Structures are given as C-alpha cells and as structure tokens.
Amino acid sequence: MMLGLVSHIKYHHKVIKSTTCFTDCMSCWCPCMVYGKNRQRFDHLQENDTADPEHGGSGCDADCCMHLALNALCGFGWVLQLGQRATLRARYHIDGSYVNDCLTAFFCTPCELTQESRELAEEEMTASNTERPEQTRNT
C-alpha cells in the first residue's frame, strides 16, 4: 500500500451551470451573504465532519461584513474568496491553481460562489448519509 499519494479530481460542478436559482441570484445581488453562508458551512464541516444544521445561517455575520466592506470600499471582496477556494480545493483534492482561483473569483464572483456552494452541498449530502460509529452501537 502506497502512502502519501492522493489522486486529484475536478470540481463536481462547473463554474457556469445554473441549477439553483436562489443561490445564483443571491450570488449576484448579495455576494457577501453567500460568502458568509459558505464560510460557515465549510467551517462547520471542517470542525465536525457533519453538515451545518443551520445551512450557513442567515449569512449576515462577520465574514459577510468583511466581504461587504472590502467590496464597498475598494472592490476587493473577491480576495477573501481566494483563501476559501484554495482551502476547499485542498480538502477535496481538486485540481487547480491560485492563478485560476484568482481569475475565477475576480471575473466571475457570483459563479465562483455558486460553484463553491454546490461543492459544499455535495459533501454535506455525503456526510449526512454516512452513519457514525456511535450511532451504530445503539442499534
């Protein structure tokens, strides 16, 4: 058995693919809220390996405010998305580069946020379908 070898995959969802009208619209009109929701969902998955029961909450939190402030003051809200996208790629072993992340976040912020939301939903669905060892002991 070879240790340390990790295969890299592509994103499950394309950047431009309209399937979730609500997230698509929110990403265009209020990208800061979608960023905040994605961030909370991702943090919850990393800490607990389970889906966030609040599904990101309202999205109006410190992360949302920081994204909004950077967008309003100098148009740099997309910069926050770079770190989150890179961490998401690393967690799921998705092919890509910082250059591609930068171009995607800068030129197509709504599409990038929607793609990230779909990738998180994919893991949340997987996490909710997986039984934990503690649950199987009681049955």
Side-chain angles (χ1 to χ4, degrees):
M1 176 181 208
M2 298 178 130
L3 297 176
L5 293 179
V6 177
S7 64
H8 289 274
I9 61 170
K10 295 183 185 237
Y11 282 98
H12 289 101
H13 303 276
K14 296 189 184 285
V15 172
I16 300 176
K17 181 181 177 186
S18 182
T19 57
T20 53
C21 186
F22 179 76
T23 304
D24 291 347
C25 291
M26 287 297 292
S27 294
C28 288
W29 297 324
C30 294
C32 56
M33 289 182 72
V34 177
Y35 173 78
K37 288 174 78 76
N38 285 352
R39 181 66 187 243
Q40 182 174 330
R41 291 167 61 199
F42 186 73
D43 289 346
H44 192 276
L45 279 167
Q46 279 197 293
E47 293 168 8
N48 304 305
D49 285 328
T50 62
D52 181 10
E54 297 177 2
H55 198 66
S58 68
C60 290
D61 56 8
D63 292 314
C64 171
C65 291
M66 194 169 8
H67 194 279
L68 177 63
L70 282 172
N71 264 341
L73 295 175
C74 55
F76 284 110
W78 61 273
V79 172
L80 294 175
Q81 295 165 222
L82 294 177
Q84 188 163 318
R85 189 168 175 88
T87 306
L88 184 88
R89 278 191 309 101
R91 180 176 170 92
Y92 305 131
H93 308 292
I94 297 173
D95 283 335
S97 69
Y98 290 112
V99 173
N100 286 342
D101 293 345
C102 184
L103 293 172
T104 304
F106 179 77
F107 287 109
C108 199
T109 293
C111 299
E112 188 274 333
L113 289 169
T114 302
Q115 180 187 35
E116 186 176 297
S117 179
R118 285 193 212 113
E119 293 295 328
L120 290 168
E122 186 91 20
E123 184 180 357
E124 288 170 335
M125 193 178 336
T126 302
S128 66
N129 291 334
T130 305
E131 271 194 324
R132 304 200 90 157
E134 303 88 45
Q135 293 171 336
T136 57
R137 279 189 225 139
N138 296 331
T139 58

